[in-house]
């Protein structure tokens, strides 16, 4: 019995294509995501965010573990824009000591690959996100992963400075 359970968990949850082990978000590990977000982002996310991540968006969220420590995560949601579905990257972050190891790249590549594989079924044609205009390394990271700066959105953020954001976009290929 335990061999079947272990086999199912390891086959379904892990991704062996990078430095970290990628796992799906669950009620058992969402508390770890909450702690990670507190250390990585300048804004705090409330309970409804984490409930939605587990209940509505878990297929497009991944946790990155390095040596059994949660070091990064990506959380995305499907939204409708102009009558068409698109994937919106809500958060992508890695703890400072684990940056520049390829973990963020592994996370974004995993999500892009998933969306590309399911494009016919999901009809998702693009992946988008907002990013603070002062985040020059972040802009370079996303450009290196095929995202384009679609436009600048003034006063997008209300509680951080600078308040302006870039809307970044990557078209999905199949």
């Amino acid at each position: 019995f335990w061999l079947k359970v272990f086999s199912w968990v390891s086959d379904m949850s892990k991704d062996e294509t990078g430095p970290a082990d990628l796992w799906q978000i669950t009620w058992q590990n969402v508390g770890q995501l909450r702690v990670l977000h507190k250390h990585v982002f300048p804004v705090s996310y409330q309970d409804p965010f984490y409930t939605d991540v587990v209940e509505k968006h878990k297929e497009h969220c991944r946790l990155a573990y390095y040596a059994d420590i949660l070091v990064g995560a990506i959380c995305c949601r499907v939204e409708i824009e102009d009558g068409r579905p698109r994937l919106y990257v809500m958060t992508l972050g890695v703890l400072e000591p684990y940056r520049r190891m390829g973990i963020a790249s592994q996370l974004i590549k995993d999500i892009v690959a998933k969306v590309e594989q399911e494009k016919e079924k999901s009809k998702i044609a693009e992946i988008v996100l907002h990013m603070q205009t002062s985040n020059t390394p972040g802009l370079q990271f996303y450009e290196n992963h095929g995202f384009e700066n679609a436009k600048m959105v003034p006063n997008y953020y209300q509680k951080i400075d600078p308040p302006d954001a870039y809307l970044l976009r990557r078209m999905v290929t199949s």
Side-chain angles (χ1 to χ4, degrees):
F1 168 76
W2 288 110
L3 183 57
K4 279 187 173 183
V5 170
F6 177 75
S7 175
W8 173 76
V9 169
S10 64
D11 290 346
M12 184 176 161
S13 303
K14 287 180 71 175
D15 175 7
E16 302 290 343
T17 60
D21 295 326
L22 302 186
W23 294 80
Q24 287 187 335
I25 187 83
T26 67
W27 284 114
Q28 288 73 31
N29 59 25
V30 71
Q32 293 176 26
L33 176 65
R34 187 183 295 264
V35 172
L36 178 85
H37 279 173
K38 285 180 183 177
H39 290 282
V40 173
F41 299 115
V43 296
S44 60
Y45 295 90
Q46 302 304 311
D47 290 341
F49 174 87
Y50 297 102
T51 299
D52 285 351
V53 164
V54 175
E55 292 183 356
K56 298 178 183 176
H57 312 303
K58 67 181 170 187
E59 289 190 28
H60 295 105
C61 298
R62 296 286 181 274
L63 303 180
Y65 289 87
Y66 186 83
D68 295 327
I69 300 167
L70 179 63
V71 298
I74 187 168
C75 298
C76 308
R77 70 175 179 246
V78 176
E79 59 184 26
I80 306 299
E81 179 75 20
D82 296 327
R84 297 185 321 234
R86 69 182 189 178
L87 191 70
Y88 184 81
V89 179
M90 298 182 290
T91 64
L92 170 59
V94 176
L95 290 172
E96 179 84 36
Y98 298 91
R99 293 180 187 163
R100 314 246 2 119
M101 293 176 63
I103 294 169
S105 292
Q106 183 182 358
L107 286 163
I108 197 73
K109 287 176 183 178
D110 180 78
I111 291 297
V112 168
K114 179 174 179 40
V115 171
E116 288 177 346
Q117 288 172 350
E118 298 175 352
K119 183 178 180 186
E120 272 192 46
K121 179 180 150 190
S122 70
K123 306 294 185 212
I124 294 173
E126 66 180 354
I127 302 170
V128 298
L129 63 111
H130 287 93
M131 187 188 66
Q132 198 172 15
T133 56
S134 61
N135 187 350
T136 304
L139 181 60
Q140 184 176 16
F141 168 82
Y142 283 110
E143 287 175 343
N144 288 342
H145 288 281
F147 286 79
E148 296 177 349
N149 187 347
K151 67 179 178 179
M152 199 270 286
V153 183
N155 299 310
Y156 178 79
Y157 297 106
Q158 296 177 3
K159 297 182 180 180
I160 56 176
D161 190 49
D164 303 332
Y166 292 127
L167 175 66
L168 304 181
R169 172 178 289 135
R170 177 187 168 140
M171 301 310 292
V172 175
T173 60
S174 53

